[in-house]
Amino acid sequence: LPPSAVDAGHRAVIFDRFRGVQDVVVGEGTHFLIPWVQKPIIFDCRSRPRNVPVITGSKDLQNVNITLRILFRPVTAQLPRIFTSIGEDYDERVLPSITTEILKSVVVSTA
């Protein structure tokens, strides 16, 4: 059995060809997997920054340029659910739409 290493600050979800994505989140360290049957999907669980630029209109019909910097990280207990429902690129799919809507509502309410 070849070992699989999970680095510090990362977590892994195990995909099994027979049972699918397992509900157990594997922590840091060296773990043994069955070759060809099991595959680790490794997630970075450290806080990471992301800048989201938004151009929106205010109440007085002027364009406003805003850039929001977000520090985000996934909830480790929800990683199997995140992987099965959204995928490995969850931050690319979820963050832009949420932040755009929030920034637009803030600009409309304050301007």
Side-chain angles (χ1 to χ4, degrees), residues 44-48 70-76 82 90 95:
D44 187 357
C45 291
R46 298 173 291 183
S47 291
R48 291 180 289 164
I70 305 167
L71 288 175
F72 72 96
R73 63 183 171 85
V75 177
T76 56
I82 291 171
Y90 65 93
L95 290 178

Side-chain angles (χ1 to χ4, degrees), residues 56-67:
T56 183
S58 63
K59 286 182 183 175
D60 55 352
L61 302 175
Q62 294 181 358
N63 284 339
V64 178
N65 295 328
I66 299 177
T67 301

Side-chain angles (χ1 to χ4, degrees), residues 10-88:
H10 293 71
R11 299 291 183 268
V13 174
I14 305 298
F15 174 75
D16 191 309
R17 291 188 190 265
F18 301 115
R19 295 182 288 172
V21 177
Q22 296 180 0
D23 290 333
V24 179
V25 177
V26 179
E28 305 162 352
T30 303
H31 307 278
F32 292 98
L33 300 173
I34 302 169
W36 188 81
V37 175
Q38 293 178 328
K39 175 186 167 191
I41 294 95
I42 298 176
F43 287 91
D44 187 357
C45 291
R46 298 173 291 183
S47 291
R48 291 180 289 164
R50 182 179 174 94
N51 291 331
V52 181
V54 174
I55 299 173
T56 183
S58 63
K59 286 182 183 175
D60 55 352
L61 302 175
Q62 294 181 358
N63 284 339
V64 178
N65 295 328
I66 299 177
T67 301
L68 177 66
R69 181 178 170 92
I70 305 167
L71 288 175
F72 72 96
R73 63 183 171 85
V75 177
T76 56
Q78 297 294 322
L79 284 177
R81 185 170 169 224
I82 291 171
F83 176 69
T84 55
S85 61
I86 302 172
E88 291 183 72

